Amino acid sequence: MRIVGGAARGLKLFGPGKITGIRPTSDKLREALFNMIDAGGSSFLDLFAGTGAVGCEAASRGARRVTMVENSAKALAIIKKNSAALEGALTEMPKFEIIRHDVMKFVAGKSSQTRYDWIFCDPPYDWTRSEKLISHIVENSLLEPGGVLIWEASKRSLPETEVEPSKVKRYGDTVLLFYDFT
């Protein structure tokens, strides 16, 4: 795994190794994602952050604020290693938050005083609480006006929600769903 673009392009990232339950977003998918969005100057929330590769990519591409939420202590240790490596590679580090918390509780308890331009969500593929998570994001106004929720899913287990994505991009077995609530 590596940073695929921006100021830290080529920086090697720590992966999960033999730790089970962590499925990093591939370099190819991150490159496709960040070729579709402009993270420069944005606020970026990475839910179910795993190794932190997506949040680190956003920072490398100029995000001014990056928040990563992950509940696994093992995954958090990897995120901290990757953010330290990133800090050494960037001349200016954005405001960077690494939060150990259950994603549902984090989103449900967040106030609209903290909003994000981009929210990236990559839950386990068999996760069944997508409708409730999206409801919390909308009800708590976590997106800036014009902000977008991006959901990574397997094409075999798309999130069950009444809200239709505004855009769907397929990459092999993986799907990126873009939700625009404005």
Side-chain angles (χ1 to χ4, degrees):
M1 267 188 355
R2 63 185 173 81
I3 298 289
V4 295
R9 182 185 179 120
L11 176 72
K12 290 188 187 267
L13 296 173
F14 293 91
K18 295 181 182 183
I19 300 171
T20 58
I22 301 174
R23 179 189 33 79
T25 300
S26 71
D27 293 359
K28 184 179 179 180
L29 186 62
R30 276 186 284 112
E31 185 170 26
L33 168 64
F34 284 95
N35 284 339
M36 288 186 277
I37 70 171
D38 182 8
S42 71
S43 54
F44 194 95
L45 175 60
D46 186 358
L47 299 174
F48 301 96
T51 63
V54 173
C56 288
E57 190 74 44
S60 177
R61 292 174 183 252
R64 67 176 161 73
R65 180 170 47 114
V66 176
T67 303
M68 292 190 270
V69 181
E70 175 59 57
N71 201 29
S72 162
K74 291 177 181 178
L76 267 138
I78 298 167
I79 293 169
K80 288 177 182 175
K81 283 188 207 177
N82 283 334
S83 66
L86 182 66
E87 190 171 357
L90 294 178
T91 55
E92 187 176 328
M93 188 75 168
K95 182 176 186 221
F96 214 74
E97 290 180 286
I98 302 168
I99 299 170
R100 182 176 185 189
H101 211 298
D102 174 81
V103 166
M104 287 297 286
K105 290 178 183 172
F106 173 83
V107 172
K110 206 71 174 146
S111 73
S112 62
Q113 293 174 345
T114 305
R115 292 184 178 194
Y116 301 92
D117 298 301
W118 305 102
I119 298 177
F120 182 79
C121 186
D122 183 13
Y125 283 165
D126 60 351
W127 198 66
T128 60
R129 300 178 70 198
S130 51
E131 181 69 39
K132 190 69 173 165
L133 181 63
I134 290 173
S135 292
H136 285 319
I137 289 169
V138 173
E139 289 166 10
N140 293 338
S141 302
L142 295 185
L143 282 165
E144 289 283 359
V148 176
L149 168 65
I150 305 160
W151 195 289
E152 180 180 338
S154 165
K155 70 178 183 182
R156 291 182 207 88
S157 61
L158 297 174
E160 294 180 18
T161 176
E162 292 179 15
V163 180
E164 290 293 319
S166 55
K167 180 170 38 172
V168 177
K169 294 289 187 175
R170 287 179 171 72
Y171 302 92
D173 288 340
T174 305
V175 178
L176 290 177
L177 305 155
F178 294 78
Y179 296 91
D180 179 358
F181 300 107
T182 55

Short mmCIF file of all heavy atoms in Angstrom, two decimals, residues 20 46 59 71 107 134 143 150 178:
data_model
loop_
_atom_site.label_atom_id
_atom_site.label_comp_id
_atom_site.label_asym_id
_atom_site.label_seq_id
_atom_site.Cartn_x
_atom_site.Cartn_y
_atom_site.Cartn_z
N THR A 20 -6.89 -9.83 11.07
CA THR A 20 -8.12 -10.10 10.31
C THR A 20 -9.14 -9.00 10.60
O THR A 20 -9.09 -8.33 11.61
CB THR A 20 -8.71 -11.47 10.68
OG1 THR A 20 -8.97 -11.49 12.08
CG2 THR A 20 -7.78 -12.60 10.31
N ASP A 46 -13.36 10.16 7.60
CA ASP A 46 -13.18 8.77 7.19
C ASP A 46 -13.77 7.88 8.28
O ASP A 46 -13.20 7.77 9.37
CB ASP A 46 -11.69 8.49 6.98
CG ASP A 46 -11.38 7.11 6.42
OD1 ASP A 46 -12.31 6.32 6.21
OD2 ASP A 46 -10.18 6.83 6.21
N ALA A 59 -5.25 13.81 3.08
CA ALA A 59 -4.27 14.76 3.62
C ALA A 59 -3.17 15.03 2.60
O ALA A 59 -2.77 16.19 2.40
CB ALA A 59 -3.67 14.21 4.91
N ASN A 71 -12.96 1.87 15.57
CA ASN A 71 -13.18 1.32 16.91
C ASN A 71 -12.15 0.26 17.30
O ASN A 71 -11.97 -0.01 18.47
CB ASN A 71 -14.60 0.75 17.02
CG ASN A 71 -15.07 0.63 18.45
OD1 ASN A 71 -14.64 1.40 19.31
ND2 ASN A 71 -15.93 -0.33 18.71
N VAL A 107 -21.30 9.29 15.09
CA VAL A 107 -22.15 10.07 14.18
C VAL A 107 -23.42 10.53 14.89
O VAL A 107 -23.85 11.67 14.71
CB VAL A 107 -22.46 9.25 12.90
CG1 VAL A 107 -23.49 9.94 12.05
CG2 VAL A 107 -21.19 9.03 12.10
N ILE A 134 -26.86 6.66 7.70
CA ILE A 134 -27.18 7.76 6.77
C ILE A 134 -28.17 8.73 7.43
O ILE A 134 -28.02 9.94 7.31
CB ILE A 134 -27.70 7.21 5.43
CG1 ILE A 134 -26.54 6.54 4.67
CG2 ILE A 134 -28.32 8.31 4.59
CD1 ILE A 134 -26.94 5.81 3.41
N LEU A 143 -22.78 17.08 6.85
CA LEU A 143 -22.20 17.49 5.57
C LEU A 143 -22.37 19.00 5.38
O LEU A 143 -23.43 19.56 5.66
CB LEU A 143 -22.87 16.76 4.41
CG LEU A 143 -22.42 15.32 4.19
CD1 LEU A 143 -23.39 14.60 3.26
CD2 LEU A 143 -21.01 15.27 3.64
N ILE A 150 -19.62 9.36 0.53
CA ILE A 150 -19.14 8.34 -0.41
C ILE A 150 -19.09 7.02 0.36
O ILE A 150 -18.45 6.93 1.40
CB ILE A 150 -17.74 8.68 -0.95
CG1 ILE A 150 -17.76 10.08 -1.58
CG2 ILE A 150 -17.27 7.62 -1.94
CD1 ILE A 150 -16.39 10.69 -1.71
N PHE A 178 -22.17 7.53 -4.33
CA PHE A 178 -22.08 8.94 -3.96
C PHE A 178 -23.48 9.44 -3.61
O PHE A 178 -24.40 9.33 -4.42
CB PHE A 178 -21.52 9.76 -5.13
CG PHE A 178 -20.09 9.42 -5.45
CD1 PHE A 178 -19.77 8.28 -6.17
CD2 PHE A 178 -19.07 10.25 -5.05
CE1 PHE A 178 -18.45 7.96 -6.46
CE2 PHE A 178 -17.74 9.96 -5.34
CZ PHE A 178 -17.44 8.80 -6.05
#
